[in-house]
């Protein structure tokens, strides 16, 4: 037996720093774990209950063993992805002052354009090497008010560039097709956990959604700072669309502390992963797996994660079905509050973050919206 590992990987999860040992095969504590990301066909997502149960079985295995899977055979218009990335690339190619018209400090929810070096998701003082523009649930955007109901107290959240309407059109075209798929996936996750198909519906009436278009310029191979620091997602689940022709950059941490590459795969439109809220609801039956981005390909990279989280006022806690003798592994979480903590703690220069610091407002009093 080789001696205990000397190296560790650290990352943020649920607002706390986690350290994980890196173990080589043969070392004490080494466990069998995944070495690749499963690829799953979703051709039967609208099939019979029997077909959906079968699909859920495959999805469940991936969520238990890996926390990540590729979704292929997703029914989307043929040019949707190419058109969406054309718009995203054109947005990031705009002069800085035009992008800054959508600056994220203007949005109470930290939505909008985040220039290079203004955010950090990790544990150290280094800056992430990327720029991004985020939008999310905002029922005041007419494109999202498809139910004709605006939840009481809703304030505008999104922040659009003033001189590039194509971004809004393009992202909403994407949202219009991807949101319904996310809702179907929510039902598959319920089946995969042996619950009734609608088990999660009541906590996702007005889900917190987020789309973040990301641009990672190439980084030097010897550059230590990742494009996106190791993290788990504070979502129920996430569907990342990696630009189809882009080079490998996304990496997923396995149980032995080894980074497994998750490159874009032909025909698999989404790289999906479980987020913290679903990990909690399943009492860690499903794993919210840590991942990071290192763009050492020498080429620019664009990606578009779609985050799907429960209603801000939902309380997520381990469901009775999954509480064994060990009891619940997590305390209950008020979704909006957890979400705001994760967002503001990693965006210390946002006016809302400065405000709560200046006025010493305790985290218990921070709220979503
Ligand atoms: O860019 C990617 O492929 C992943 C992005 C991601 O993990 C995130 O934004 O949470
Ligand atoms: Fe992520």
């Amino acid at each position: 037996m080789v001696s205990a590992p000397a190296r560790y990987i650290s990352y943020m999860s649920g607002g706390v720093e986690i350290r994980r040992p890196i173990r080589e095969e043969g070392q004490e504590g080494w466990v069998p774990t995944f070495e690749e990301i499963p690829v799953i066909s979703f051709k039967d997502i609208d099939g019979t209950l029997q077909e959906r149960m079968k699909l859920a079985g495959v999805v469940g295995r991936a969520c238990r063993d890996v926390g990540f899977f590729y979704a292929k055979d997703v029914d989307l218009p043929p040019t949707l992805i190419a058109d969406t990335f054309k718009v995203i690339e054109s947005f990031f190619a705009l002069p800085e002052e035009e992008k800054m018209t959508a600056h994220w400090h203007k949005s109470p929810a930290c939505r909008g354009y985040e220039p290079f070096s203004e955010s950090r998701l990790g544990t150290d003082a280094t800056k992430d090497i990327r720029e991004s523009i985020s939008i999310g649930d905002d029922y005041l955007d007419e494109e999202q008010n498809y139910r004709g109901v605006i939840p009481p107290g809703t304030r505008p959240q999104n922040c659009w560039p003033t001189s590039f309407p194509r971004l809004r059109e393009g992202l909403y075209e994407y949202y219009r097709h991807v949101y319904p798929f996310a809702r179907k996936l929510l039902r598959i996750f319920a089946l995969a956990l042996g619950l009734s198909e609608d088990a999660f519906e009541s906590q996702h009436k007005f889900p917190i959604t987020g789309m973040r278009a990301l641009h990672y310029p190439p980084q030097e191979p010897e550059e230590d700072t990742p494009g996106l620091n190791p993290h788990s997602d504070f979502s129920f689940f996430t569907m990342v669309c990696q630009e189809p022709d882009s080079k490998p950059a996304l990496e997923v941490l396995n149980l032995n502390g080894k980074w497994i590459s998750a490159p874009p795969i032909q025909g698999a439109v989404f790289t999906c992963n479980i987020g913290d809220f679903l990990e909690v609801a399943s009492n860690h039956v499903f794993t919210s797996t840590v991942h990071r981005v290192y763009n050492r390909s020498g080429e620019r990279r664009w990606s578009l994660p779609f985050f799907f989280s429960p209603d801000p006022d939902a309380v997520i806690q381990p469901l009775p079905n999954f509480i064994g003798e060990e009891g619940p592994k997590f305390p209950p979480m008020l979704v909006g509050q957890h979400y705001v903590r994760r967002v503001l703690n990693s965006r210390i220069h946002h006016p809302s973050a400065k405000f709560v610091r200046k006025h010493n407002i305790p985290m218990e009093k921070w709220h979503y919206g």
Side-chain angles (χ1 to χ4, degrees), residues 71-335:
K72 70 168 188 178
D73 303 326
V74 177
D75 188 20
L76 294 173
T79 63
L80 180 72
I81 303 302
D83 292 347
T84 306
F85 278 103
K86 248 185 247 160
V87 170
I88 288 172
E89 290 172 31
S90 307
F91 169 74
F92 286 123
L94 290 175
E96 195 68 9
E97 29 334 330
E98 287 191 36
K99 291 186 274 190
M100 290 296 267
T101 61
H103 194 264
W104 61 294
H105 283 190
K106 296 179 187 174
S107 153
C110 299
R111 307 259 170 77
Y113 173 62
E114 249 179 287
F116 290 113
S117 301
E118 276 196 19
S119 80
R120 95 192 146 84
L121 206 58
T123 50
D124 58 23
T126 55
K127 305 282 187 188
D128 295 327
I129 306 167
R130 58 157 199 275
E131 59 180 338
S132 65
I133 182 153
S134 306
I135 71 143
D137 52 295
D138 185 339
Y139 297 95
L140 297 175
D141 272 5
E142 62 200 17
E143 296 90 336
Q144 287 188 43
N145 189 15
Y146 35 79
R147 289 191 199 82
V149 184
I150 295 175
T154 303
R155 289 193 293 154
Q157 310 277 334
N158 288 335
C159 202
W160 296 98
T162 47
S163 62
F164 191 68
R166 270 178 63 213
L167 183 78
R168 180 167 177 160
E169 288 156 22
L171 287 182
Y172 270 123
E173 183 62 11
Y174 181 88
Y175 183 97
R176 203 161 66 77
H177 289 98
V178 172
Y179 181 80
F181 181 76
R183 295 229 60 120
K184 291 177 194 171
L185 202 48
L186 184 69
R187 299 172 75 81
I188 294 292
F189 286 133
L191 285 180
L193 284 165
L195 304 168
S196 69
E197 223 172 344
D198 61 359
F200 294 130
E201 297 287 329
S202 64
Q203 290 178 314
H204 293 83
K205 290 201 194 78
F206 294 105
I208 302 178
T209 53
M211 281 190 347
R212 181 157 61 150
L214 286 143
H215 170 213
Y216 304 86
Q219 57 183 111
E220 297 301 324
E222 62 277 7
E223 165 72 62
D224 250 3
T225 312
L228 189 61
N229 277 319
H231 64 281
S232 65
D233 286 353
F234 47 105
S235 61
F236 209 65
F237 61 90
T238 306
M239 304 181 301
V240 180
C241 188
Q242 306 190 55
E243 209 249 342
D245 296 324
S246 58
K247 297 280 189 303
L250 176 62
E251 297 174 334
V252 179
L253 192 64
N254 79 10
L255 291 178
N256 294 318
K258 179 174 169 189
W259 290 106
I260 305 298
S261 179
I265 285 190
Q266 186 112 45
V269 66
F270 300 124
T271 314
C272 300
N273 63 283
I274 299 304
D276 298 345
F277 295 122
L278 186 44
E279 180 178 75
V280 170
S282 68
N283 205 26
H284 209 269
V285 170
F286 285 0
T287 336
S288 177
T289 301
V290 171
H291 50 286
R292 69 176 183 185
V293 176
Y294 255 116
N295 182 17
R296 290 166 160 151
S297 65
E299 292 173 15
R300 292 181 183 283
R301 174 179 188 266
W302 293 272
S303 68
L304 181 58
F306 189 106
F307 305 98
F308 192 90
S309 305
D311 299 335
D313 60 359
V315 174
I316 298 292
Q317 55 195 322
L319 293 166
N321 309 36
F322 310 110
I323 302 175
E325 281 172 13
E326 283 177 51
K329 294 182 180 156
F330 307 91
M333 274 174 167
L334 178 58
V335 170

